Amino acid sequence: MTADARPTDHAVTAHVADAATAEAAVADLADAGVDRDSITHGTGESFAARLEAGDEDSQPAGRLVKFLLSLGQEREELMRLGEEARSGRHAIVVNDVEESHRDAVADVLARHDARDIVWFGDWQTEDLSIQR
């Protein structure tokens, strides 16, 4: 999996029970047209640390925006996902999701009993689990 563990501005994240479920979800996402290179999943302390790592944006304005966002919902969601990965669940991050496809991605994840399905949009996060 070559995708960045940290969600981009257009990403859907969730967590599932185990590696087999995560692999099945990834396969179904790929069958639905999602580029496998934009999907990553993992579990444990090292994956959680990758989720929670700071963004290394080279532009000062980009660093400021990301810092301000990290103080709110985005940071809370990443910390929660990191805790799930530490507890043994498999975190899934689907990056580069067009907003018009976010619900389709969430539906695939929900079919695999994913929990805490979250959309990372331009300026906010949104819980997509409520709708499923």
Side-chain angles (χ1 to χ4, degrees):
M1 285 151 281
T2 59
D4 187 1
R6 191 167 170 86
T8 61
D9 288 336
H10 291 121
V12 177
T13 65
H15 55 89
V16 295
D18 54 41
T21 304
E23 288 294 336
V26 168
D28 285 352
L29 287 165
D31 288 345
V34 175
D35 181 359
R36 279 187 183 263
D37 287 340
S38 69
I39 307 168
T40 189
H41 68 87
T43 192
E45 181 63 40
S46 64
F47 193 80
R50 287 175 51 205
L51 284 169
E52 297 164 353
D55 193 4
E56 301 300 325
D57 194 316
S58 62
Q59 300 297 319
R63 285 196 307 269
L64 176 61
V65 169
K66 283 294 187 182
F67 170 74
L68 292 173
L69 288 174
S70 74
L71 299 176
Q73 282 181 303
E74 181 179 278
R75 184 78 179 148
E76 288 177 24
E77 295 296 346
L78 290 174
M79 296 300 287
R80 179 170 47 186
L81 191 60
E83 286 304 312
E84 293 296 340
R86 282 185 186 89
S87 77
R89 290 187 61 85
H90 283 253
I92 299 174
V93 177
V94 184
N95 279 315
D96 304 321
V97 176
E98 292 181 33
E99 190 165 359
S100 61
H101 296 134
R102 72 183 195 156
D103 289 327
V105 169
D107 288 342
V108 170
L109 293 170
R111 285 196 299 271
H112 292 276
D113 295 322
R115 302 273 163 65
D116 298 325
I117 304 170
V118 175
W119 163 251
F120 283 74
D122 288 326
W123 298 104
Q124 65 186 26
T125 61
E126 182 179 343
D127 184 353
L128 300 179
S129 300
I130 297 170
Q131 304 164 7
R132 276 136 193 94

